[in-house]
Amino acid sequence: VVAVLLLPAGGTPVILAGLTAAVAVVTTPLIAVLEHRKVRVGAATLRADAPTPRSPVRRLVGELAVLLIAVAALADLRLRGAGQQAGAATGTTGAYLSASAVLVAAAVALVLNRAYRGPLRLLAGVASIRRGAVGAVGLARAAATRAGSVLPALALMLGLTLTVFSAMVLASISNGQENGSWEQVGADAVISVHGTDSVPQHALAVIGRAPGVRHVTSIYTARSAGSSAAVLITGGRGHPVALAAVDPDSYAALAADTPWPAFPAHALARPADIATSGPLPILVTPGLAALVARSAGALRLEDYGQFVRVRVAGTITRTPAMPTGGQFVMVPEWATQRLTAVPPPSTALVTGPHLNIAALRATVAKALPGSQILFRRRVVAELKASPALRLSEGLYIAGAVAAAAVSALAVLFSLATSARSRAAMQTRLGALGMARA
């Protein structure tokens, strides 16, 4: 805890080892002082041969150690997940992190082993009201047995944990495939026109009437490198950025039909009284917004040698037009009247969970001859066909089946080892006049 609170991200192992040694050196004499300050009344008058009760301290310390190790594994997993969301390098996954699920299962099993007798005694009291003695005797016997009798339950819990862990990993693989397809395509389908052609409005209307299509919009995008790159100038310095020109209303409707964050169309709305030379509203990524906030100079956008004054109307992170992220600037499509060097839109984004691929291909072939279509559904199918992913899925399923088989064997072995004690109990109940059934 001290290391996490005091050290910056990526602290060296030498500092961590020094902190651990310092804690051990400082706390050991403190524990000794506290131990010797305890007052032992009547210790000298005790008989030498008097039995002294021994508390299972070693077992308790071992269980607490397992609990602490499991909590530390969960904390490590949580910190690594937060680091990945923040974009920080989190290193490789070791055996300790991989064993977090089993450690948590062992910790829960130890807690249940400590607490299961209380509920069993309550159930035995409730069962004693009924006429039959089997339920009351069985529950009372289970509550009075030692911890070794719950080993089959612990085996079942570990097996269930491994099975749930396998299901979680398989779901994570499936979610990763879905997220990867969105990052590659950006929408359910992307239509790219041939060469220098553009996407006219009448073609969008025709594509929007295709079976399964919910939303369609046209965009223009340019990378941050190359002849078509844009440069955001602030504080006398230029920052190469990617550029995207979109229609705010139709693009916001399309973004709402995807897992991407909502698009603030109102920030790029065209003012009714905007001046011819007034600054144009743009959306920038948070990194560019921080640069603009620290700058006291003018903010301009250079595109193909053309300078236009702009103002930051808001920030945006991931969006369908820029699925791979990075530093980019989004301008409204109506602003291209001032940005005359920006070409017309050359890409169309399409959303719809049940797109008719054949019908959409035929529609696009008529409306935009020579264009290419990339379907997200096909990308997902290619990702699922990866040999490595299929092998990992097979291994996790085999692990779940093996865990279930081992759990079943543990229950059978427990029943076999307790057969003699159950026969003795049956004999005692028979001696009390109870029927064999």
Side-chain angles (χ1 to χ4, degrees):
V1 172
V2 172
V4 171
L5 293 179
L6 297 184
L7 291 181
T12 60
V14 177
I15 300 177
L16 296 178
L19 285 175
T20 306
V23 170
V25 171
V26 171
T27 54
T28 301
L30 292 179
I31 294 175
V33 170
L34 294 177
E35 181 69 20
H36 285 280
R37 286 188 61 185
K38 294 180 180 179
V39 180
R40 293 176 174 85
V41 179
T45 61
L46 293 177
R47 292 170 49 189
D49 57 347
T52 56
R54 298 181 59 186
S55 60
V57 178
R58 293 182 180 179
R59 174 185 167 190
L60 180 61
V61 170
E63 293 178 355
L64 290 178
V66 173
L67 291 177
L68 289 177
I69 293 174
V71 170
L74 289 180
D76 188 15
L77 186 64
R78 177 73 174 178
L79 292 176
R80 288 174 182 264
Q84 290 179 356
Q85 291 179 359
T90 56
T92 58
T93 301
Y96 177 60
L97 191 63
S98 301
S100 59
V102 179
L103 290 174
V104 172
V108 174
L110 292 175
V111 173
L112 290 180
N113 186 29
R114 287 281 180 176
Y116 81 101
R117 291 182 177 86
L120 285 182
R121 292 191 181 97
L122 293 177
L123 292 175
V126 175
S128 62
I129 304 176
R130 303 179 61 86
R131 295 183 58 184
V134 177
V137 171
L139 290 172
R141 190 162 176 249
T145 51
R146 296 181 178 180
S149 62
V150 299
L151 289 179
L154 304 188
L156 285 174
M157 182 173 297
L158 288 174
L160 181 60
T161 301
L162 292 176
T163 304
V164 173
F165 180 72
S166 301
M168 181 184 66
V169 172
L170 293 177
S172 177
I173 292 175
S174 179
N175 293 335
Q177 293 170 348
E178 288 290 330
N179 295 334
S181 66
W182 283 108
E183 291 180 356
Q184 290 189 31
V185 183
D188 290 316
V190 175
I191 304 172
S192 303
V193 298
H194 177 70
T196 59
D197 296 339
S198 60
V199 182
Q201 290 296 325
H202 66 84
L204 288 179
V206 174
I207 296 173
R209 292 192 293 268
V213 175
R214 282 187 179 178
H215 301 283
V216 59
T217 186
S218 59
I219 62 173
Y220 167 78
T221 58
R223 297 181 178 179
S224 58
S227 59
S228 60
V231 178
L232 185 65
I233 301 178
T234 173
R237 298 182 58 185
H239 307 279
V241 294
L243 178 67
V246 300
D247 177 67
D249 295 332
S250 61
Y251 186 80
L254 181 135
D257 200 22
T258 65
W260 303 109
F263 182 76
H266 61 279
L268 298 183
R270 183 171 188 172
D273 55 347
I274 185 172
T276 306
S277 59
L280 295 177
I282 63 171
L283 295 177
V284 298
T285 53
L288 294 175
L291 294 175
V292 174
R294 293 195 301 265
S295 174
L299 179 66
R300 294 180 298 174
L301 181 68
E302 181 185 18
D303 190 22
Y304 303 96
Q306 180 185 15
F307 290 80
V308 177
R309 292 191 304 120
V310 296
R311 63 176 178 85
V312 177
T315 59
I316 190 168
T317 53
R318 309 295 291 275
T319 189
M322 296 290 177
T324 56
Q327 304 290 353
F328 60 90
V329 172
M330 301 193 72
V331 299
E333 194 176 21
W334 56 265
T336 56
Q337 299 176 1
R338 299 262 301 277
L339 296 169
T340 56
V342 176
S346 57
T347 305
L349 301 180
V350 181
T351 58
H354 305 291
L355 289 177
N356 190 325
I357 295 179
L360 185 58
R361 285 187 181 275
T363 302
V364 172
K366 294 180 180 179
L368 298 170
S371 59
Q372 297 180 350
I373 309 177
L374 178 61
F375 291 95
R376 190 182 63 85
R377 195 184 309 170
R378 297 289 177 86
V379 174
V380 174
E382 293 177 358
L383 293 175
K384 290 185 177 180
S386 172
L389 292 179
R390 294 179 62 183
L391 178 62
S392 63
E393 291 179 356
L395 289 176
Y396 279 114
I397 292 175
V401 173
V406 171
S407 300
L409 289 177
V411 174
L412 293 177
F413 287 152
S414 174
L415 293 176
T417 55
S418 60
R420 181 175 298 178
S421 62
R422 289 199 311 274
M425 177 61 65
Q426 184 179 2
T427 302
R428 297 189 187 98
L429 294 178
L432 295 177
M434 296 186 182
R436 182 176 180 82

